[in-house]
Amino acid sequence: MHRGPRHAGGGQAVNGRAAGAAAVWALGATQIIGYGTLYYAFSILAASIAQDLNWSLEWVYGAFSAALLAGGLLAPISGGWIDRFGAGRVMVLGSVTAALALAGIALAPDRAFFVLGLVAIEAVSTLVLYDSAFAALAQIAGQDAKRRIGQLTLIGGFASTLFWPLTAWLLDSLTWREIYLLFAGLHLLLCAPLHMMLIARRRGPAQERGERAVPAGREVQGSLPEAARRRAFLLLLAGFSAGGFVLSAVLVHMVPVLGGLGLGAGAVLVGSLFGPAQVLGRLVNMAFGRDLPSTRLAVLSAGLLPAAIALLLLTAPWLPAALLFAVILGLGSGLVSIVRGTVPLELFGSRGYGAMLGKITAVRLVVTAGAPFAFALLLERAGSAAALWGMAAIGLIGMLALLALARLAAAPAVTAAGAAGAEPESAAR
């Protein structure tokens, strides 16, 4: 009499794992295309854009920074749509509108239309990049979402590795406008159908009636009780924003800063290790961090940033230590991408998860948008060493905020209340 239910439950578990694995591969492809076309390709095409529009390179990058900020401000709206309509539907819409935005910028007749197109690209990017993909995995994989998010960031880490050389190769035979038209076709013909698959993967009896975005039985309950959630959310914002500020500032200026510390030609070699180290960090997490609480991983990822900067400052211009700096910084950055998705899910649960990620992204992007400019001022007025010590201090503050969050999450009263099934509805209120 008991075999039927056990068999059915086992079949559901197998189907759930298969759905999660398929979603990871589908989203991995769309994240590589999304980040590659909407973000990384711009640095390769910027010089051609500036020449074609008879505009200085500084103004082109300034328009890009403004567009990134505008996209961040719209992130809470896309997060709310994800919770209401499901990530699959929102990502299909995002793929179609990304194709239109890319085509629009390719056909822009002047600077004004170019800026409008750039803002449109970064606005719709919030519908298709990591935050939306993390929410899709939470809706599809449920309790297995934490592991699936780690797998996804590992695949997505190859976006720059693939699209920087691909874009440069295309630029040898195509104009920047033709390249953006080609990228528009990728979103329409590849990403949109892959995102359509997510709707079918997510669909269940509850979704047929439109009752909720997360299927019954797959909803993740957050570990924090209501009383602790406001404080936890503020600590989360502080930690993530500080880390984002440091990475945004240092990465934009990495090569000139390393040169200013006396590394000379070795600066390019040091910078080239950052990307592979990000992927290495995600691989290490997949291999050894499966049972590590996300809050502890967040503390580790945040602590690696000031540690790397301090190592560089204390040993420059010694090249081997500078290479280790790039590896440690890359490891931290790679882990940051994972905890951005897993910590909110672990602490606050999957209900309202999309809206929460939208709020976190909005604050983080607003804070980090000015980081390259602020760091440039510090470099000019105080020099490379003082500017980097300032970044190390900000990174340390972020680590301390996440350490306080980890302690709050591990408190016996919090754990007991979370196990009792505290309602996750108003995590960020």
Side-chain angles (χ1 to χ4, degrees):
M1 294 294 294
H2 296 287
R3 288 186 179 178
R6 281 200 299 266
H7 179 73
Q12 290 175 359
V14 171
N15 290 337
R17 287 194 295 271
V24 167
W25 284 110
L27 287 168
T30 66
Q31 293 308 288
I32 288 175
I33 294 172
Y35 275 102
T37 61
L38 302 176
Y39 185 76
Y40 289 118
F42 187 85
S43 63
I44 305 297
L45 300 177
S48 296
I49 293 170
Q51 184 178 9
D52 185 41
L53 296 178
N54 193 27
W55 216 3
S56 72
L57 193 59
E58 290 78 11
W59 276 105
V60 172
Y61 274 108
F64 185 62
S65 297
L68 288 172
L69 179 60
L73 294 175
L74 292 173
I77 298 175
S78 63
W81 288 353
I82 287 169
D83 289 332
R84 182 176 180 183
F85 303 111
R89 290 186 175 90
V90 171
M91 296 186 84
V92 170
L93 173 65
S95 295
V96 174
T97 52
L100 293 174
L102 287 165
I105 199 173
L107 301 174
D110 54 35
R111 298 172 186 172
F113 278 93
F114 168 80
V115 173
L116 288 175
L118 202 56
V119 170
I121 286 174
E122 297 310 322
V124 302
S125 71
T126 63
L127 303 177
V128 294
L129 297 183
Y130 268 155
D131 287 350
S132 297
F134 293 161
L137 290 175
Q139 293 172 3
I140 292 168
Q143 301 294 331
D144 199 32
K146 177 181 173 182
R147 183 169 66 93
R148 297 303 186 186
I149 287 172
Q151 293 170 346
L152 175 62
T153 58
L154 175 62
I155 300 173
F158 290 98
S160 61
T161 306
L162 293 173
F163 267 84
W164 274 336
L166 173 62
T167 306
W169 177 73
L170 289 172
L171 196 56
D172 287 337
S173 53
L174 301 175
T175 68
W176 70 270
R177 295 178 185 272
E178 292 168 337
I179 291 172
Y180 271 134
L181 283 174
L182 177 62
F183 289 168
L186 291 179
H187 281 270
L188 194 61
L189 300 177
L190 289 180
C191 293
L194 287 172
H195 289 152
M196 284 288 292
M197 292 170 51
L198 302 179
I199 300 175
R201 295 282 179 187
R202 184 187 61 84
R203 190 180 300 279
Q207 284 68 54
E208 299 284 357
R209 300 188 298 270
E211 293 176 4
R212 58 173 61 185
V214 182
R218 295 186 192 170
E219 189 169 296
V220 178
Q221 297 296 323
S223 63
L224 287 177
E226 185 68 32
R229 294 194 170 195
R230 182 172 181 81
R231 181 185 173 195
F233 187 71
L234 293 175
L235 290 170
L236 188 68
L237 285 180
F240 283 3
S241 297
F245 188 93
V246 171
L247 283 171
S248 178
V250 173
L251 292 179
V252 169
H253 298 280
M254 181 182 285
V255 173
V257 164
L258 292 172
L261 292 175
L263 284 155
V268 176
L269 174 62
V270 172
S272 67
L273 289 180
F274 175 79
Q278 285 192 104
V279 176
L280 176 63
R282 293 162 187 170
L283 275 172
V284 170
N285 175 69
M286 284 181 59
F288 304 107
R290 181 177 299 182
D291 299 323
L292 186 68
S294 293
T295 49
R296 293 185 184 179
L297 187 64
V299 174
L300 174 62
S301 67
L304 288 173
L305 306 184
I309 295 172
L311 173 66
L312 176 66
L313 287 166
L314 293 173
T315 59
W318 191 37
L319 181 59
L323 295 172
L324 184 58
F325 149 78
V327 171
I328 295 174
L329 192 73
L331 290 172
S333 177
L335 295 177
V336 163
S337 299
I338 297 173
V339 299
R340 267 175 48 195
T342 58
V343 171
L345 183 63
E346 184 176 292
L347 297 183
F348 304 110
S350 56
R351 189 176 300 181
Y353 179 66
M356 171 170 289
L357 288 183
K359 292 175 184 177
I360 294 170
T361 297
V363 173
R364 180 175 54 82
L365 287 180
V366 167
V367 170
T368 59
F373 178 70
F375 191 61
L377 287 180
L378 277 174
L379 286 172
E380 182 180 343
R381 297 184 180 183
S384 296
L388 284 172
W389 279 122
M391 293 302 104
I394 293 173
L396 183 61
I397 292 171
M399 186 199 75
L400 293 175
L402 292 174
L403 181 60
L405 176 66
R407 289 180 174 175
L408 178 64
V414 169
T415 304
E423 184 66 31
E425 193 102 35
S426 54
R429 289 179 189 171

